[in-house]
Amino acid sequence: MMAMLKSVSLRCAALLLSGCMLMGLACQAQAARLGDIATFEGVRSNPLVGYGLVVGLDNTGDQTMQAPFTGQSVTNMLSELGVTIPAGTNMQLKNVAAVMVTAELPPFSSPGQKLDITVSSVGNARSLRGGTLLMTPLKGADGQIYALAQGNMVIPGISAQAAGSSVQVNQTSSGRIPGGAIIERTVPAQLAEQGRINLELKDADFNTALRTMNAINNAMGQGVAVAQNSRVISLAAPLDSASKISFLARVQNIDVDPGVVTPKVIMNARTGSVAMNTRVTLSRAAIAHGNLSITIDSNPIISQPNALSGGQTAVVPNADINVQEESGALNMVSGEADLSQVVDALNRLGATPNDLMAILQALKSAGALNADLEII
């Protein structure tokens, strides 16, 4: 069964990386839409954050003795609802968890629109699966409340525990609520108020900035665009609102041949996904990778006293811990390998997506991975 799962993981990883390779080749062969590689100055989202409570958990919430802020939060919430808890009461709650709620307020959003939110445990809750987030105000950097969040959790991971043993697949202490927040306040945005607006490239590159300036001037007229540096291109925009929107829409639809793509590897630590573009290469390196397997079983021992000794039968906790490390073969990667060789080399190691993340981080630390490594 484990061999089958490992084989499926390998096929998924190979398919994912091969797909990324094909997509990268397609992107390299085609010009990019300017709206996809650049943004207008001031058109940005704003982060929101809030503190709240998730209730309705199946005995997987915070242990209030170890996370006293959860009990204090419950007491304050009940007090606001008219329920008084006597002082000194020790509430042994297991179905409540203290959480942090985060969201991104998109530009030009209006009151009444809904946002997707991320809910993450801040205590020692084992899982938020099946929980409901109570109404939580979301604040911006200025301390103002911009949205209110509430709803039922969607958890991607699974966990189970019985008789002292446990198993967990992916993350269960955080999840999302699609459309879980309602916007209550907008952020005012000024768009080309003085007749000029800056176009900002997502990836700074002098070649791309020069090609963008020339493409805009060819389409909109000479002198409309002036490159300020490797990222910013200043545009002369109309003053009236209707002409301004039409001008910005035309600029967004201009095709530009971008410069050489920066080699980059993206890893999702929650799901184990790994993606890389076609510019990723490996320098000459040696890789040894052995999986470390730890198994913990609970085997309680029954202690029986001797006859007429006056003692009592007791259960003594006992646990067997086995640590096993598989042998790791030393594999050589030839100098300046391209993406297909990288994929083949990692598959020869029998790497799962989680193994790939560990291997790529080690290669980056060793200076053998010629790419930016980004963990999301």
Side-chain angles (χ1 to χ4, degrees), residues 72-85 91 93:
Q72 181 182 353
S73 301
V74 172
T75 302
N76 294 339
M77 179 196 66
L78 294 178
S79 176
E80 294 180 357
L81 296 176
V83 179
T84 302
I85 305 297
M91 297 183 294
L93 302 176

Side-chain angles (χ1 to χ4, degrees), residues 80-150:
E80 294 180 357
L81 296 176
V83 179
T84 302
I85 305 297
T89 301
N90 184 14
M91 297 183 294
Q92 297 292 334
L93 302 176
K94 293 183 179 180
N95 57 354
V96 182
V99 295
M100 296 300 295
V101 184
T102 56
E104 288 289 329
L105 184 65
F108 309 116
S109 54
S110 302
Q113 289 183 329
K114 292 188 175 182
L115 302 175
D116 294 346
I117 59 174
T118 300
V119 182
S120 305
S121 172
V122 296
N124 54 2
R126 289 186 285 109
S127 174
L128 299 180
R129 176 174 288 275
T132 299
L133 175 70
L134 299 181
M135 187 171 64
T136 303
L138 301 181
K139 299 182 179 180
D142 57 357
Q144 300 293 325
I145 297 175
Y146 287 90
L148 293 177
Q150 182 169 281

Side-chain angles (χ1 to χ4, degrees), residues 5-28:
L5 291 175
K6 193 168 185 178
S7 177
V8 171
S9 299
L10 284 173
R11 287 198 295 270
C12 291
L15 183 61
L16 173 65
L17 296 175
S18 300
C20 294
M21 179 176 62
L22 293 176
M23 287 187 292
L25 289 174
C27 293
Q28 193 176 38

Side-chain angles (χ1 to χ4, degrees), residues 143-223:
Q144 300 293 325
I145 297 175
Y146 287 90
L148 293 177
Q150 182 169 281
N152 297 322
M153 296 284 301
V154 177
I155 305 297
I158 299 174
S159 65
Q161 182 176 12
S165 299
S166 63
V167 63
Q168 178 174 327
V169 179
N170 290 333
Q171 185 66 262
T172 59
S173 59
S174 66
R176 291 180 62 83
I177 303 179
I182 299 178
I183 298 174
E184 299 292 342
R185 184 195 299 266
T186 61
V187 176
Q190 296 180 351
L191 193 61
E193 296 292 336
Q194 303 299 324
R196 296 204 69 87
I197 186 171
N198 288 335
L199 182 69
E200 299 176 342
L201 297 176
K202 294 179 181 178
D203 295 321
D205 184 83
F206 284 108
N207 288 326
T208 305
L210 178 61
R211 294 173 185 177
T212 299
M213 182 187 70
N214 293 335
I216 295 176
N217 286 334
N218 291 336
M220 312 296 290
Q222 294 300 317

